Amino acid sequence: MRGPHVGQIQNYACHCLGLESYFRRPGDGRVHPSIPARDVVWAVVIGHILRVASFLRLEWLAHSPVRSELGLRGPFGDDALAYCTERMDPETTRMALAAALRQAKRNKAFENSRFIGLPLDGTGAGRTYKEACPLCDPIQDPQGEVHGQLHHFVLISVVSVGGLTLPVDVEPYGPGDSEYAAAQRLLRRAADHLGARFADYVVGDGEYATAPFLHTSGEVALPVVARLKENLPLLTAAVRARFDGRPPQAVFEEGGDRVEVWDYDHFDPWETLDWPEVRVLRYRQHKRDGTTVQAEWLTDFSIAKLGSLSFYRMAKSRWQIENQGFNDGKNRYGMEHICHHEPHSILIVWLLILLALVIERLYRLRYLHRGDHGIRSAMDLCTYLWLSLGSRNPPDPG
Ligand SMILES: [Zn+2]
């Protein structure tokens, strides 16, 4: 069979990313399983690559004539998907994701990048008006009236500066918990699963520029790059006093934009932060369309280890999680949709969506790219896979 097809993706996942043993034993907690967990997990993964997000539509695929082409051994109902995902151990899937990313790094998936970062960010998904589950956070208007519920989680990804972004893990947080506490649990776990020296830095928005989070980063031996905002008034005032009214220390041409930078590494830490000093970069980015963006970022990287331009690029890598993490996950891969409204199942499905994103992105950008099959976008691949299903002679991908 020529060209990309589902069987080739399954082979790639099992053999190139080393996921074969995970698919055989994905952490099934059922006592008397009638449907193999392997089929359940693969159905959710390949279903999300094919943009089939609901359990009912996966049931329809599992009863269709292309079942074996999809890599599924037998038919099953949507209730089996719900029952199995409620009882899976999330740790097994989290370890598999980290192992696949370590394998991708060994396969030189990030080869063009000098620095690998771990961006973190929180979001909400799966708005519902049904009866609340323990993860449901009520959405209140300014008058305190509740308009449905939302499920919150923090996502951590791997980003190579200017290049590939791949998700690593998620940590949900419900009422009584916080993004901030969830992010610290997530960073500790991801650093442990990915191993020492996998990444070079952690990057987050202003909410992460707080002493406990910066200390957590230090605990896992990773320098951190965080946005400086008004929540640190003393440091913000010191930065203004030093940078305002002075000419920039350097000017770069970056991606067609002109970027002016101010960079100083001897600011005093605020009282709860145990760093000896704080380095702050201010950039003013003049875009080709005439607009200007100015922002300030702090770090514990020394100037000797990290130049101003690399610091600027690391700060900018924070936005890749928006573009390639949440937006892809929500808009294209169905993270917005809750398959089965039960907290354990919600978490397992989110983790399987991350696994689907990792497999799809590496297969498309690193595997297909070598053969120059002419497929570049996720939508092209999805369409091509649908066209080739059930066809003995799939179309030439051109
Ligand atoms: Zn809920």
Side-chain angles (χ1 to χ4, degrees):
M1 205 176 189
R2 294 178 58 229
H5 55 94
V6 169
Q8 196 177 59
I9 295 180
Q10 197 171 27
N11 259 325
Y12 176 77
C14 287
H15 304 300
C16 300
L17 299 179
L19 288 165
E20 193 170 26
S21 64
Y22 165 73
F23 285 122
R24 238 183 287 132
R25 277 185 297 278
D28 188 8
R30 294 170 301 171
V31 183
H32 301 292
S34 52
I35 312 292
R38 182 204 155 278
D39 267 12
V40 170
V41 166
W42 180 248
V44 176
V45 168
I46 197 62
H48 279 90
I49 292 174
L50 293 168
R51 317 282 167 96
V52 174
S54 85
F55 281 0
L56 264 174
R57 289 195 68 216
L58 289 176
E59 172 186 325
W60 162 74
L61 277 179
H63 285 86
S64 77
V66 296
R67 178 176 65 228
S68 68
E69 256 181 87
L70 288 168
L72 302 173
R73 286 170 196 172
F76 49 78
D78 67 322
D79 52 339
L81 295 172
Y83 188 83
C84 182
T85 51
E86 274 187 29
R87 286 160 182 80
M88 277 175 61
D89 176 11
E91 185 67 7
T92 313
T93 303
R94 285 171 159 151
M95 301 272 274
L97 269 157
L101 292 166
R102 289 199 307 271
Q103 186 59 46
K105 194 181 178 193
R106 281 195 292 274
N107 295 350
K108 312 270 184 246
F110 306 105
E111 62 189 331
N112 295 323
S113 183
R114 218 179 114 206
F115 295 107
I116 292 179
L118 300 176
L120 283 107
D121 204 8
T123 192
R127 189 169 186 163
T128 177
Y129 295 90
K130 292 182 185 159
E131 199 187 329
C133 79
L135 269 186
C136 271
D137 252 337
I139 305 164
Q140 291 182 337
D141 67 18
Q143 284 72 44
E145 207 181 313
V146 173
H147 300 274
Q149 292 103 217
L150 206 55
H151 303 87
H152 286 105
F153 63 89
V154 185
L155 173 69
I156 187 165
S157 301
V158 171
V159 58
S160 60
V161 171
L164 206 54
T165 302
L166 299 167
V168 184
D169 196 354
V170 286
E171 179 70 10
Y173 58 99
D177 198 353
S178 68
E179 170 176 353
Y180 186 56
Q184 291 174 57
R185 298 195 295 272
L186 182 60
L187 176 59
R188 283 200 187 94
R189 187 173 60 230
D192 179 46
H193 286 176
L194 290 170
R197 287 183 295 278
F198 182 95
D200 303 291
Y201 67 101
V202 176
V203 60
D205 209 345
E207 307 91 83
Y208 298 101
T210 57
F213 185 80
L214 301 183
H215 294 161
T216 304
S217 228
E219 263 174 54
V220 299
L222 284 167
V224 59
V225 171
R227 181 95 182 256
L228 174 60
K229 282 191 179 162
E230 301 296 330
N231 58 333
L232 295 169
L234 285 178
L235 182 58
T236 307
V239 167
R240 285 202 187 115
R242 173 157 282 270
F243 292 159
D244 283 3
R246 304 255 181 109
Q249 281 159 267
V251 183
F252 304 109
E253 287 293 322
E254 177 78 353
D257 299 340
R258 191 166 60 85
V259 181
E260 300 171 309
V261 295
W262 293 255
D263 194 350
Y264 183 67
D265 59 350
H266 299 303
F267 289 107
D268 287 332
W270 58 97
E271 60 178 7
T272 50
L273 181 66
D274 68 4
W275 294 3
E277 50 196 13
V278 181
R279 176 178 172 196
V280 175
L281 177 91
R282 170 187 285 178
Y283 67 75
R284 194 175 292 150
Q285 178 188 9
H286 301 272
K287 298 189 177 184
R288 269 177 297 184
D289 63 10
T291 56
T292 301
V293 182
Q294 178 171 310
E296 279 138 15
W297 291 74
L298 61 86
T299 190
D300 53 346
F301 263 114
S302 70
I303 287 181
K305 273 200 179 150
L306 185 77
S308 299
L309 178 58
S310 293
F311 188 175
Y312 168 75
R313 287 175 177 159
M314 281 184 185
K316 285 285 173 182
S317 73
R318 151 76 183 81
W319 302 111
Q320 284 175 242
I321 197 171
E322 292 282 334
N323 301 332
Q324 294 186 32
F326 291 148
N327 291 350
D328 257 13
K330 284 185 179 178
N331 302 339
R332 300 188 190 152
Y333 295 94
M335 279 184 110
E336 203 55 87
H337 172 81
I338 297 293
C339 292
H340 173 51
H341 194 193
E342 189 277 334
H344 212 84
S345 175
I346 292 173
L347 173 59
I348 291 292
V349 172
W350 279 341
L351 290 169
L352 293 177
I353 292 173
L354 302 193
L355 193 61
L357 271 162
V358 166
I359 294 169
E360 191 273 346
R361 210 165 271 166
L362 286 170
Y363 172 75
R364 177 166 51 87
L365 299 174
R366 292 292 180 264
Y367 178 85
L368 288 183
H369 188 68
R370 293 187 308 197
D372 201 17
H373 285 76
I375 285 174
R376 291 294 177 270
S377 76
M379 200 60 217
D380 280 354
L381 177 62
C382 179
T383 307
Y384 186 83
L385 291 173
W386 276 109
L387 289 173
S388 66
L389 272 176
S391 141
R392 271 188 215 167
N393 297 300
D396 189 328

